[in-house]
Amino acid sequence: AAPWFEPYVTPLALAILAALFLAQRGGTARVGALFGPIIVIWFLALAALGGARILHAGEVLAALSPVHAWRMLTEHGAVGFALLGAVVLAVTGGEALYADMGHFGRFPIRLAWFGLVLPALLINYFGQGALLLAEPAAIENPFFLLAPGWALYPLIGLATAATVIASQAVISGAYSITLQAIHLRFLPRMAVRHTSAQERGQIYLPAVNWLLFAGVAGLVVTFKTSSNLAAAYGVAVTGTMVITTLLAYKVARRFGGWGRWRAGAALALFLTVDLAFFSSNLAKVFEGGWFPLAVGAALFAAMTTWRRGRALLAERLAAASAPVDVFLARLKGGATPRVPGTAVFLTSNPRGLPPSLMHNLKHNKVVHERVALVTVETADPPHLAADERFQLTPLSAGFYRLIVRYGFMEEPDLPAALRAGRIPGLPFETMETTYFVSRETLIPTRNSGLPAWREAIFIALSRVSASASEYFRIPPGRVVELGMQIEI
């Protein structure tokens, strides 16, 4: 529309991105009501533009027959195979639909995809094909050339708005997936801000927000145009397709009750298609496809290192923990003063005594009259019913072992859960309950059980991990943090 504006595209894109990421801290509840209508208008516009062209060249609908695709692959050999790397770009972006709509379940996703998104995209692509049959020179920009001259500027504005909304979907999806990875103990705790009192899924993770902004801004400056990013798109999306197919096989076998042959047949069918697209895109690794592979490898190394490091740390703490029965027998002797109220000691070990309890006793010389040793666990289902939340084991001397469970898509609010649970014998009144959490400072050693490079990653992740009190939404005035140094 304005070729003279080309030098300003990159700075303008960075400005829009900066505004978008800055707006995240305030939440999207206020403007979210506009997102749905705009996206509906966008897809209806795609269908209208494509449909108008199809009416003038209906023969393009012959492409519905898979015979043409088969002939292309068989008659053109390597060229046809290489074209698969470009064909897959027609579906990039669809994965964002699933990333952000996962909050709503299967039906809304299916309804949106089959009822609007897929038909609109197909009609538009067929319309572009019809345009090229009539005007081969339109290959320069077939999408915008579908529109009449008077609609060009409004279409650019609508495309920009749709792109910003799609970017918001990716950002929100990144928050959701990161939070689930934290719950599954693949990432360290991060500060989570709730931006809406009505919508549970409206969250803001500052660390993820600014890391994502830095990465996206770096991509814009490095690659400059979306066409230069085509190889990265292709590798990222087809790699995700392969991984999703493998995970679907696992889910079908473990949770779906599918037999090995039935699940294996489905795996072979989908994996054949996915690997064909993925392998065709691997030819573009040096043209930009290396970027998603590098990011994926870095995230995989960080996540597996964190999980392994936390398991080793838990083993060290469990080995140094005092036997529960010996400790409780000593308390019954009456030598240790007891003070009124309820103490909650957070511990990742559901069997031994938490280090924070021993440190508190060592320094303060007292124990509360009621003590709850609380372990928070993440269950396999996304959400849990109220009767599945708690597992209480009374010990003795006023001590209780309490396991609090959350689904992997739930956001823990420990004080609220304890008050709502109304556990017999354990009143969790706000002003009568004190929470004790430990803050570990890790000291590297040569016998940590991790290679030196993974040990360095684990210690770095531990230093940026948010405190348990902030993560579990414990009121600052009711928490005591006890620091300790641990050699790993």
Side-chain angles (χ1 to χ4, degrees):
W4 57 268
F5 203 71
E6 186 173 347
Y8 306 100
V9 170
T10 297
L12 185 60
L14 290 172
I16 293 173
L17 286 168
L20 180 63
F21 280 96
L22 278 170
Q24 297 304 310
R25 68 178 66 186
T28 57
R30 296 180 182 176
V31 295
L34 297 174
F35 288 178
I38 292 175
I39 290 298
V40 169
I41 293 171
W42 166 249
F43 283 114
L44 291 177
L46 293 185
L49 291 172
R53 277 292 174 176
I54 292 174
L55 293 176
H56 294 89
E59 64 271 20
V60 74
L61 295 178
L64 286 168
S65 170
V67 172
H68 299 289
W70 176 256
R71 288 179 57 189
M72 182 195 74
L73 291 174
T74 55
E75 295 177 6
H76 296 280
V79 174
F81 180 74
L83 280 175
L84 290 178
V87 170
V88 77
L89 296 178
V91 298
T92 58
E95 69 281 358
L97 183 73
Y98 300 90
D100 192 38
M101 290 183 67
H103 297 289
F104 304 103
R106 290 178 296 177
F107 179 72
I109 294 176
R110 290 173 172 171
L111 179 63
W113 180 251
F114 291 111
L116 178 63
V117 178
L118 180 60
L121 290 174
L122 284 176
I123 293 171
N124 188 267
Y125 281 125
F126 278 119
Q128 292 184 45
L131 173 65
L132 295 175
L133 287 176
E135 304 173 26
I139 192 66
E140 178 185 355
N141 201 324
F143 172 70
F144 282 105
L145 291 177
L146 277 176
W150 61 266
L152 182 58
Y153 287 101
L155 186 60
I156 292 174
L158 183 59
T160 303
T163 304
V164 170
I165 294 172
S167 301
Q168 178 62 56
V170 174
I171 295 170
S172 299
Y175 294 158
S176 300
I177 293 171
T178 301
L179 191 62
Q180 292 173 33
I182 294 171
H183 291 169
L184 295 172
R185 306 192 181 192
F186 278 105
L187 285 175
R189 292 186 297 262
M190 300 181 190
V192 180
R193 308 278 188 265
H194 294 260
T195 59
S196 173
Q198 290 78 32
E199 296 292 335
R200 189 182 184 95
Q202 290 280 348
I203 57 174
Y204 169 63
L205 279 71
V208 175
N209 189 69
W210 296 115
L211 282 173
L212 197 58
F213 172 68
V216 172
L219 281 178
V220 170
V221 172
T222 303
F223 287 87
K224 292 186 170 58
T225 69
S226 57
S227 57
N228 290 340
L229 270 172
Y233 285 147
V235 171
V237 173
T238 56
T240 301
M241 289 163 59
V242 171
I243 293 170
T244 303
T245 297
L246 295 174
L247 290 175
Y249 172 81
K250 188 87 171 177
V251 171
R253 292 280 289 128
R254 179 178 294 184
F255 302 109
W258 286 33
R260 183 173 299 172
W261 290 106
R262 183 185 179 192
L267 173 69
L269 173 64
F270 287 103
L271 203 57
T272 299
V273 177
D274 295 343
L275 287 176
F277 282 112
F278 182 61
S279 55
S280 67
N281 276 277
L282 284 180
K284 304 176 182 178
V285 166
F286 297 105
E287 301 173 21
W290 58 269
F291 181 79
L293 295 177
V295 172
L299 286 173
F300 181 80
M303 294 171 76
T304 53
T305 297
W306 178 255
R307 189 171 178 86
R308 178 59 181 156
R310 291 300 301 180
L312 290 172
L313 183 60
E315 292 175 7
R316 296 285 173 86
L317 293 174
S321 177
V324 178
D325 52 351
V326 174
F327 177 80
L328 294 179
R330 192 190 314 164
L331 278 182
K332 291 177 182 178
T336 304
R338 308 295 292 266
V339 295
T342 302
V344 175
F345 288 89
L346 296 181
T347 174
S348 59
N349 181 7
R351 287 173 292 276
L353 291 173
S356 54
L357 171 61
M358 306 309 296
H359 275 257
N360 179 62
L361 181 59
K362 176 181 177 181
H363 292 285
N364 296 322
K365 314 296 184 185
V366 296
V367 176
H368 285 69
E369 61 180 351
R370 292 179 302 275
V371 176
L373 309 179
V374 176
T375 300
V376 179
E377 294 182 348
T378 302
D380 288 335
H383 301 279
L384 291 181
D387 58 353
E388 301 175 297
R389 182 78 63 203
F390 301 106
Q391 179 183 329
L392 179 68
T393 305
L395 301 176
S396 63
F399 274 65
Y400 300 82
R401 176 82 64 188
L402 180 62
I403 296 177
V404 184
R405 293 190 177 93
Y406 287 93
F408 67 84
M409 288 189 68
E410 295 180 305
E411 299 156 27
D413 186 336
L414 188 58
L418 294 178
R419 288 194 302 270
R422 301 186 181 278
I423 301 172
L426 270 179
F428 291 102
E429 298 177 8
T430 302
M431 300 309 296
E432 297 294 327
T433 304
T434 304
Y435 296 83
F436 292 84
V437 298
S438 58
R439 185 82 176 189
E440 302 100 355
T441 299
L442 304 182
I443 301 174
T445 63
R446 294 185 178 180
N447 59 344
S448 66
L450 292 172
W453 65 273
R454 297 191 78 175
E455 184 180 276
I457 292 175
F458 179 62
I459 292 176
L461 291 174
S462 297
R463 288 174 178 167
V464 300
S465 177
S467 67
S469 57
E470 183 178 14
Y471 181 72
F472 292 116
R473 306 176 74 177
I474 301 172
R478 305 307 306 170
V479 66
V480 176
E481 281 199 1
L482 298 168
M484 61 189 73
Q485 292 186 339
I486 302 174
E487 291 186 350
I488 64 166

